Amino acid sequence: MSFNKLHGLFAAHKPAGITCSQLIGTLKTSLLKDLNASQKLYLPTFVEVKQFGKEAPNDGKETSNENQLWKVEEKKDLRFHPLVAGPYFNRLNVQVVSGGLDKKSSGVLVLSIGRASQYIPAYQNALLPRQYHVNMQLGYATSDYDAEGKVIVKSTYRHISREKFDRVVTGLTKTSRRYNSNYSGLDMQSQEAYDIAVSGKLESVTLFNQPTILTAKCLHFNPPYVSLEMECLNEDNDFIRDTINSLGIKLKSSAVTSRINRTKDGPFTMEHSILRKHWTLANIAQCIKDSKEMVKPFIKRKDMFLDELADEQVKGQPDVQIQ
């Protein structure tokens, strides 16, 4: 793969403690460093013509150049040397495709590079679910619903059993779907709702642009420490923390979120996201190549597909080969 074909979507693992902007900055620095290191030094040449020997004295009379010798040399133009003009590659277009991860959270972060940013709206409008593993702690509540916030409430949790916890967690999905159905203004008992359901478009009507919990289940229960697996749409980390706080209230106790880790974003899973130590040009180029078939059903456009975008050549850019 060459630099001219370095366009596509891929997933990176975002560690906790950094923002998405900081991740993109680190990623760009690593890619630009590899690009400039792989670029073979090419300098344009120019022809220099100069007189061989001393110039004849000018006495006001016309002299003939027939007997004069000229030296013609082809030299490299050092004005374009990286030590003079700077590195050839100095910018890259890397954008977040599917956000929702703040500084405290971690997990799969889908990014676009190059001209593949034009597929961001199509990917976002595909209503792809995202899966999270959420660690929570029972017994107290904070001002921002996060474990590191200021404690405002303390409560008991000894009365919470696994059966009761599972029952309340199951109710989260029903409550979320009922709220979104009411918000959409669609009467679920009407003929219109029936026709939309038959056509298979009910989910896109009732869940569009509203945070929704599709599934939720308990992975580990050892009070006060509990872990959940949640599959959501249109959510962000504030919505998840607010949900955990509401869950604690429904359990007649209180709860805070201690960790949020995204394990899946549409077709991308933890296996597809590359770690910080693997943010190199060769690895990212391979990830883009491997992800083409995964994202193709979700980013189709009438005028261009991802394969055609990758096969296009960018005028004015060197064809740097990526090993």
Side-chain angles (χ1 to χ4, degrees), residues 121-183:
Y123 187 92
Q124 294 174 345
N125 294 334
L127 291 177
L128 301 176
R130 292 178 284 204
Q131 190 179 84
Y132 295 85
H133 285 178
V134 183
N135 293 349
M136 57 182 289
Q137 186 172 350
L138 300 170
Y140 71 99
T142 60
S143 56
D144 58 356
Y145 308 149
D146 188 81
E148 299 179 358
K150 181 181 179 180
V151 179
I152 58 176
V153 174
K154 287 187 177 181
S155 58
T156 181
Y157 55 85
R158 301 295 181 183
H159 62 282
I160 303 175
S161 63
R162 177 63 184 266
E163 292 75 17
K164 182 178 181 180
F165 187 85
D166 290 339
R167 184 169 61 252
V168 175
V169 168
T170 304
L172 289 176
T173 304
K174 298 179 180 179
T175 303
S176 179
R177 288 177 175 270
R178 188 183 307 113
Y179 168 78
N180 284 286
S181 299
N182 296 334
Y183 182 87

Side-chain angles (χ1 to χ4, degrees), residues 213-266:
I213 301 175
L214 300 178
T215 61
K217 65 179 180 179
C218 179
L219 297 178
H220 178 72
F221 186 79
N222 185 24
Y225 305 105
V226 184
S227 61
L228 293 175
E229 182 182 85
M230 302 173 60
E231 193 172 49
C232 308
L233 279 177
N234 302 313
E235 83 299 329
D236 56 16
N237 292 160
D238 291 336
F239 170 77
I240 294 177
R241 293 188 180 98
D242 182 69
T243 300
I244 297 301
N245 178 72
S246 301
L247 180 61
I249 295 175
K250 292 179 180 180
L251 292 168
K252 301 187 184 305
S253 180
S254 54
V256 293
T257 304
S258 57
R259 180 174 180 264
I260 299 176
N261 183 48
R262 181 188 290 170
T263 58
K264 184 179 180 182
D265 190 328

